[in-house]
Amino acid sequence: EVQLAQSGGGLVQPGGSLRLSCAASGFTFSSNWMHWVRQAPGKGLVWLSGIYNDGSSTMYADSARGRFTISRDNAKNTVYLQMNSLRVEDTAIYYCARDFLGYFSHWGQGILVTVSS
Amino acid sequence: EIVLTQSPATLSLSPGERATLSCRASQSVGSQLAWFQQKPGQPPRLLIYEASNRATGIPARFSGSGSGTDFTLTISTLDPEDFAVYYCQQRANWPWTFGQGTKVEFK
């Protein structure tokens, strides 16, 4: 069974940093792109970033580029999202997702990030 | 970026009725479109990929159609568990984008 277990969320002050983790199991992690998607309270879904199987290629939405960094450790079956210079508007539930045939086939449970003073 | 516009914003229906949801892209995405279902407090669930292929475990009452810029998700006979928010998403061009969602609610 595919599982994506997320951790690392919480409350952070504006300008602060946070690193989200997503530990995968139940599939060959190193064979899949992985992605991060977020959802602000009561709002829709926004794709943030994706990373190729071996980490050699990364893609970012404009809202993430320059402040967020996606990475992965295939030995640990884990993908990360490092978020710096956080803003109040980054408050959201953050999801990691497995890419299968180019689509988000499996999702983590989501983790809440709250940016507030 | 490609903008996906979903309509209607809200669909008020009763169990047993047919639901037809629309997703229009600002430029052609070919068949590179997916549909997701999201219930409160849960992550999205992949229903349809490549415009018309049902994902694993998705009931046959869900079907997708369309190509280019116009797409439709049809739920042939609404089950009580189908009342949720539905999103379309394109993967034809970076950045991948989602529509704003259609809420299917009880009439």
Side-chain angles (χ1 to χ4, degrees), chain A residues 51-79:
Chain A
I51 186 166
Y52 184 59
N53 306 9
D54 63 2
S56 61
S57 178
T58 56
M59 303 298 294
Y60 294 94
D62 285 347
S63 55
R65 189 175 295 111
R67 297 189 301 126
F68 294 1
T69 302
I70 191 170
S71 62
R72 65 191 296 161
D73 184 338
N74 285 350
K76 295 182 177 180
N77 285 357
T78 301
V79 62

Side-chain angles (χ1 to χ4, degrees), chain B residues 55-74:
Chain B
T56 302
I58 301 304
R61 64 181 180 273
F62 291 91
S63 63
S65 63
S67 66
T69 61
D70 290 295
F71 299 87
T72 300
L73 174 70
T74 301

Side-chain angles (χ1 to χ4, degrees), chain A:
Chain A
E1 179 191 3
V2 172
Q3 293 192 341
L4 299 172
Q6 298 183 227
S7 59
L11 175 64
V12 61
Q13 292 189 337
S17 297
L18 212 54
R19 188 177 82 156
L20 306 183
S21 299
C22 172
S25 60
F27 64 99
T28 306
F29 181 73
S30 59
S31 296
N32 292 91
W33 278 78
M34 294 294 295
H35 299 269
W36 289 95
V37 175
R38 75 180 179 186
Q39 186 170 36
K43 301 297 185 181
L45 301 165
V46 177
W47 172 83
L48 289 176
S49 182
I51 186 166
Y52 184 59
N53 306 9
D54 63 2
S56 61
S57 178
T58 56
M59 303 298 294
Y60 294 94
D62 285 347
S63 55
R65 189 175 295 111
R67 297 189 301 126
F68 294 1
T69 302
I70 191 170
S71 62
R72 65 191 296 161
D73 184 338
N74 285 350
K76 295 182 177 180
N77 285 357
T78 301
V79 62
Y80 304 97
L81 186 68
Q82 176 68 43
M83 303 187 294
N84 298 329
S85 303
L86 283 162
R87 306 165 179 163
V88 171
E89 54 266 33
D90 293 318
T91 294
I93 295 173
Y94 286 72
Y95 295 100
C96 61
R98 174 198 182 195
D99 181 323
F100 181 69
L101 300 180
Y103 295 97
F104 306 129
S105 63
H106 298 84
W107 296 66
Q109 82 277 15
I111 197 153
L112 179 63
V113 171
T114 302
V115 185
S116 174
S117 54

Side-chain angles (χ1 to χ4, degrees), chain B residues 47-95:
Chain B
L47 299 175
I48 302 288
Y49 66 96
E50 209 65 16
S52 61
N53 295 285
R54 271 191 305 276
T56 302
I58 301 304
R61 64 181 180 273
F62 291 91
S63 63
S65 63
S67 66
T69 61
D70 290 295
F71 299 87
T72 300
L73 174 70
T74 301
I75 311 172
S76 59
T77 306
L78 275 168
D79 187 277
E81 66 183 19
D82 298 336
F83 290 86
V85 179
Y86 293 82
Y87 295 94
C88 57
Q89 177 253 327
Q90 66 82 22
R91 51 142 289 180
N93 282 5
W94 299 104

Side-chain angles (χ1 to χ4, degrees), chain B residues 1 7 9 12 20 22 25-27 34 37 40-42 45 56-57 63 69 72 77-78 84-86 90 95 105:
Chain B
E1 72 177 43
S7 60
S12 300
T20 304
S22 174
S26 59
Q27 64 188 77
Q37 176 194 67
Q42 296 184 17
R45 178 174 70 147
T56 302
S63 63
T69 61
T72 300
T77 306
L78 275 168
V85 179
Y86 293 82
Q90 66 82 22
E105 66 174 21

